[in-house]
Amino acid sequence: MTQFTSEGARGTSDKAQAHLDAPTVIRTKRDGRELSDAAIDWVIDGYTHGRVHDEQMSALLMAIFLRGMAPGEIARWTAAMIGSGERFDFTDLRRDGRPLALVDKHSTGGVGDKITIPLVPVVMACGAAVPQAAGRGLGHTGGTLDKLESIAGFTAEISKSQIREQLQGIGAAVFAAGDLAPADRKIYALRDVTATTESLPLIASSVMSKKIAEGARALVLDSKVGRGAFLKTEDESRELARTMVDLGTAHGVPTRALLTDMNRPLGRAVGNAVEVAESLDVLAGGGPEDVVELTLALAREMLDAAGVGGTDPAQTLADGTAMDCFRALVAAQGGDLSHPLPVGARSETITAARGGTMGDIDAMAVGLAVWRLGAGRSAPGEQVQFGAGVVMHRRPGEPVAAGEALFTLYTDTEERFAGAMAELDGGWQVLSADDPKPEIGPLIIDRIT
Ligand code: URA
C-alpha cells in the first residue's frame, strides 16, 4: 500500500518558496528529479491564480508525462489541487433523521462510457445520494457533462446551494467542478489539448482532487484497461487504481475500484446525444447488455460502500423508478426531455462488403473517429457538437449480412467525415467462417479495495 498523508509530508514555508520560478520547476522535472513540496504548492497556486502561464504549465505537464512522479509527489500534487479551492461538506444533510448516504463513482475515461447517466438514477432510486462533480471530454474519451448538456436546457453550472437542495430533495446533482479543485479544471483543459492525458500521476491527481473535494463520504472508481483506456495494460490500470484508492483513504474518503475492460466501446453508441439516447434505453429496462452489467456492478459497489441495502438495483431499471429519478435530476438542472435530442445534420453509413461475423472493434479507433466528428475538442474551450457520434449496428461476435449497415457516423460538418473514416479504418473487420472468433474477455476484470 502506498503511504499518503492528507496534508503533504513536509510543511511549506514562505522561505522555501521564495526562490521558486517556473523555469526552475520545469527544469527539475525535465531532468528527472523529484519536485519538493514547496515547488508543487507554488506551481499549483501560481497556475490557479494566473502567475504561472499556460505555456509553462504545458511544459511541466509534458515533463511529468515523460518522467512520472514518486508517490510522495502525487500525494502532494493532489493535496495542492484540493487546496486550490473549496471542499464541500454535506454531512449535515439528513433523510428520515439519518445522515444522507453520500456516495459517488468516477471513471478514468473510456469510449462509449455513458455509465454515469443510468448509474446515478439507479443509486438514487435505491436510497443513496450522489454528489457528482463530472468532467468534459478528455482526448479521445467523452465527458459526462458534454453528454448531459446535449439535453435541451440542461446545465451543469449550478451553485453549491442548488447542489445541497438537490441532494436533500431528489438525492443527486451532476455538476461542473466550479470552485472545487479549480487547479484541476485548468490543468484538465490544458492536458486535453497538449497530449498529456495518458499519465498515471496526472490522472490520479485529477480524479481524486475533485472527488475528495466534492463531499462524497465513499467513492467507487472504474479504472479502465485496454486499447481505449488512457493506460493500456492491466498492470498500469491496477497501479492507477491502487494509487487512487490509497489517496482517497488518506483523505478520509473510503475508496474502492473495479478494473474494467475498455478494449472495445461500451454499448452501441459513442458520442454526446447518442449516448444519452442509449442511456434512456437502459433506464427503460432495455439497452446493451454490457452497459447494463457495468451499471449494476457499480451500483452494487456504491450501495455497499454507502451501507445502503434493501433495494435491488436491477429492479429500479425494470420498474421505472430509476427512470423517474433521472427525469427528476434532469428537470432540477433545467433540462427538458420532451425536446428531441440533437442528431448531426449529416450522416454517412459504412456497410458490409461481405457477410460473416463482426470481429473485435477497437475502442481507440472509434473514440478518435467520434472526436474527429466534433464530439470532443482540439482547442481549449471549443464548443462540441452535441449531435456528433457513431452508432455501431453490429457488435463483436454478431452475424453480419453482405450490404448491411455496420456503422453510422453523425456530424454537422461534412468535411469531418474523411478524418473520422480514416480513424475507423483498420479498427474493425468482418470475419469469415475460417477466421478465429474474437476473444472477448470479462467486462469486470478485478476489484481493488
Ligand atoms: N477523469 C478525470 O477526471 N481526469 C482524468 O485525468 C481522467 C479521467
Side-chain angles (χ1 to χ4, degrees), residues 211-230:
K211 295 286 116 175
I212 289 167
E214 74 184 2
R217 297 174 123 195
L219 185 59
V220 176
L221 300 166
D222 180 0
S223 194
K224 300 292 190 192
V225 181
R227 291 181 297 237
F230 288 127

Side-chain angles (χ1 to χ4, degrees), residues 22-101:
T24 307
V25 177
I26 298 164
R27 195 175 302 116
T28 303
K29 188 43 73 182
R30 183 200 67 189
D31 295 346
R33 282 176 285 130
E34 280 190 29
L35 299 177
S36 66
D37 291 350
I40 290 172
D41 292 352
W42 179 86
V43 83
I44 292 287
D45 186 63
Y47 187 56
T48 306
H49 296 102
R51 293 188 303 278
V52 171
H53 301 282
D54 280 349
E55 53 272 38
Q56 295 175 313
M57 186 51 98
S58 302
L60 180 58
L61 293 174
M62 187 55 83
I64 293 171
F65 176 90
L66 295 170
R67 295 295 196 165
M69 273 180 155
E73 289 177 289
I74 301 176
R76 189 67 182 211
W77 185 272
T78 306
M81 299 223 306
I82 297 167
S84 70
E86 209 181 332
R87 186 168 172 179
F88 287 171
D89 181 354
F90 301 118
T91 48
D92 58 313
L93 296 180
R94 298 269 181 286
R95 188 181 291 159
D96 302 328
R98 283 203 301 267
L100 276 189

